[in-house]
Amino acid sequence: MSIKGLFPIDKWDFESESILADLPETEIAQLMRRKTENDYKKGAVIFREGSYPSGIYYLVSGRAKKYKVDLDGGEQIIYVANTGELLGYHSILSGENYVDSAAVLEDSVIAFIPKDDFLESLEHSVTLSRRLLKTLSHEFSVLANSLTMYARRPVRERLALQLIVVREKYKSHGNADAAVEINMSRDDLASLVGTARENVVRMLSEFKEEGILETKGRKIIVRDVKRLIEVANYK
């Protein structure tokens, strides 16, 4: 089921896949001329906070998480990236080391694009530079919404909202009516929501009792997305 008209997903999704969408073939060829593709097993780290950025990463297939690690070694997931999205370009643009880490949530294929090729393409492509600026501005709005959510919303509403957002990440674009299976560990979901794993497990059980979702192992299937939107209480 589509949530178009029911929930403003654009306020919570970076949508960086739009950066390269329908770029002229010559510009894509220039950007990708020295790319290398690698297979990443679930849980593999793409880059770590504090390391030097030698290029950007294009998610050919699969999903990844961007996260910060606190002093106690705990993770706070900032964002879940989907197939077609770019990772690591913020640090290239700022000229700084990575300010966060990234790892794959499932077996994925990722293309590495050298820093020089990315910057050269950015310099010569008006379309690419404009899209990147638009995306960066949009991401600032998304992060501002997230900060407000963490500061003011109870955990139940935060979990509902994140399930809505993550559900969109796991949707099959080929069949909009197919049931969406969210294949994410409870630890990652808790990190995304900003709460303890025990709270997520308890609230998922509550949602099951209310007929909002069902679970199959670690998979979560949202059965009543309208009810989930009501619980999220987004206004």
Side-chain angles (χ1 to χ4, degrees):
M1 174 184 174
S2 172
I3 61 172
K4 187 176 181 180
L6 299 175
F7 183 81
I9 189 65
D10 60 304
K11 294 182 180 294
W12 304 97
D13 191 1
F14 285 176
E15 297 183 345
S16 68
E17 70 272 16
S18 63
I19 295 176
L20 301 184
D22 300 321
L23 275 179
E25 289 186 9
T26 54
E27 295 182 11
I28 286 290
Q30 171 67 24
L31 179 64
M32 300 290 187
R33 64 192 176 95
R34 291 192 297 165
K35 74 174 177 66
T36 55
E37 287 191 6
N38 292 289
D39 296 327
Y40 286 73
K41 293 297 183 181
K42 182 175 70 174
V45 174
I46 305 169
F47 56 79
R48 294 188 186 278
E49 181 176 354
S51 60
Y52 175 78
S54 56
I56 66 171
Y57 297 86
Y58 174 70
L59 200 50
V60 178
S61 64
R63 296 174 182 85
K65 61 182 177 181
K66 294 183 64 179
Y67 61 95
K68 298 277 288 184
V69 178
D70 61 28
L71 295 176
D72 297 323
E75 287 185 9
Q76 174 64 62
I77 296 179
I78 303 168
Y79 183 70
V80 173
N82 206 355
T83 297
E85 296 197 56
L86 296 175
L87 296 168
Y89 60 91
H90 302 83
S91 296
I92 297 291
L93 294 174
S94 66
E96 301 174 346
N97 288 350
Y98 290 120
V99 297
D100 52 24
S101 302
V104 294
L105 290 167
E106 60 191 38
D107 291 353
S108 303
V109 178
I110 299 177
F112 173 78
I113 301 170
K115 174 181 177 179
D116 290 344
D117 291 354
F118 173 63
L119 292 177
E120 184 178 348
S121 295
L122 194 59
E123 181 179 353
H124 291 94
S125 173
V126 174
T127 302
L128 182 59
S129 60
R130 285 177 177 173
R131 287 183 180 179
L132 199 59
L133 284 173
K134 183 178 179 179
T135 299
L136 290 170
S137 298
H138 177 64
E139 288 181 10
F140 179 81
S141 298
V142 170
L143 291 173
N145 287 335
S146 298
L147 287 172
T148 302
M149 176 185 68
Y150 282 116
R152 300 182 179 180
R153 298 297 184 91
V155 174
R156 179 178 167 88
E157 291 183 7
R158 299 205 307 263
L159 176 58
L161 193 148
Q162 291 293 3
L163 285 173
I164 295 166
V165 175
V166 174
R167 176 182 176 273
E168 291 297 297
K169 297 287 185 181
Y170 281 84
K171 281 177 64 174
S172 170
H173 296 292
N175 186 357
D177 296 325
V180 181
E181 293 186 348
I182 300 171
N183 190 5
M184 180 177 285
S185 73
R186 302 300 182 262
D187 287 328
D188 280 334
L189 189 54
S191 175
L192 187 61
V193 174
T195 190
R197 183 183 189 277
E198 293 74 15
N199 290 336
V200 165
V201 171
R202 175 173 53 83
M203 291 179 189
L204 287 177
S205 295
E206 292 176 1
F207 289 165
K208 285 177 65 176
E209 292 174 0
E210 296 169 30
I212 296 174
L213 55 80
E214 65 177 277
T215 58
K216 294 180 179 179
R218 61 179 265 164
K219 294 180 180 179
I220 301 168
I221 304 168
V222 177
R223 292 301 184 189
D224 191 343
V225 70
K226 289 184 178 179
R227 175 64 181 135
L228 199 60
I229 291 171
E230 291 175 2
V231 174
N233 192 30
Y234 179 80
K235 297 178 180 178

